[in-house]
Amino acid sequence: MSATAPSLKSLARHLLQGLSRPEAAVVLESDNLLVKSPGPGTVWPRRSRQAVAWYVVGPAGDVVDIELVTMAGGQSRTVAVLARGVGTDRTGITVTVPAVAPGRYLVLVSSTTGMLDAYSQPVTVTA
């Protein structure tokens, strides 16, 4: 048995638990990226440290960038970069919430190759 088998088994278990929630049910293809946290109803005070976590289905040799974005007319606009070049094998990172205007945002986790990206549930940033 390879050294990665337990982590793949753990990933599959967590993925299935997440997909059992109706708000998270999606059709998975061979390569997918799903944001685990922040989840529904999350509130982040500015300048606080917060967790961003994701699942990767398929090859995990990529790196991701993590951004705080707003949506307008189906287009995302980056408000702040939270992290760059994070290996997908980590499946999570702690970020510092920037001093942005209070409001509702999304966290965008996207591969640097442009092949995978996923948005979080809305996050409310407070003063």
Side-chain angles (χ1 to χ4, degrees):
M1 182 173 264
S2 72
T4 60
S7 63
L8 290 175
K9 190 180 287 185
S10 175
L11 174 64
R13 182 174 16 86
H14 287 294
L15 186 61
L16 290 173
Q17 287 172 349
L19 292 176
S20 68
R21 297 187 334 257
E23 69 273 12
V26 296
V27 176
L28 295 178
E29 298 173 7
S30 60
D31 294 325
N32 269 285
L33 176 65
L34 302 170
V35 177
K36 176 182 176 184
S37 67
T42 298
V43 176
W44 284 358
R46 289 188 297 184
R47 298 181 185 91
S48 65
R49 304 272 296 156
Q50 300 293 333
V52 175
W54 57 87
Y55 296 119
V56 176
V57 177
D62 211 346
V63 294
V64 295
D65 294 335
I66 303 167
E67 300 172 354
L68 194 63
V69 302
T70 59
M71 295 295 284
Q75 297 290 324
S76 66
R77 182 180 67 81
T78 300
V79 175
V81 174
L82 303 176
R84 290 246 186 254
V86 180
T88 55
D89 58 324
R90 292 187 55 192
T91 68
I93 188 170
T94 301
V95 299
T96 299
V97 180
V100 297
R104 287 176 55 108
Y105 297 89
L106 300 172
V107 174
L108 170 62
V109 178
S110 59
S111 65
T112 57
T113 62
M115 298 297 290
L116 301 172
D117 64 1
Y119 292 93
S120 71
Q121 294 288 324
V123 174
T124 301
V125 174
T126 60

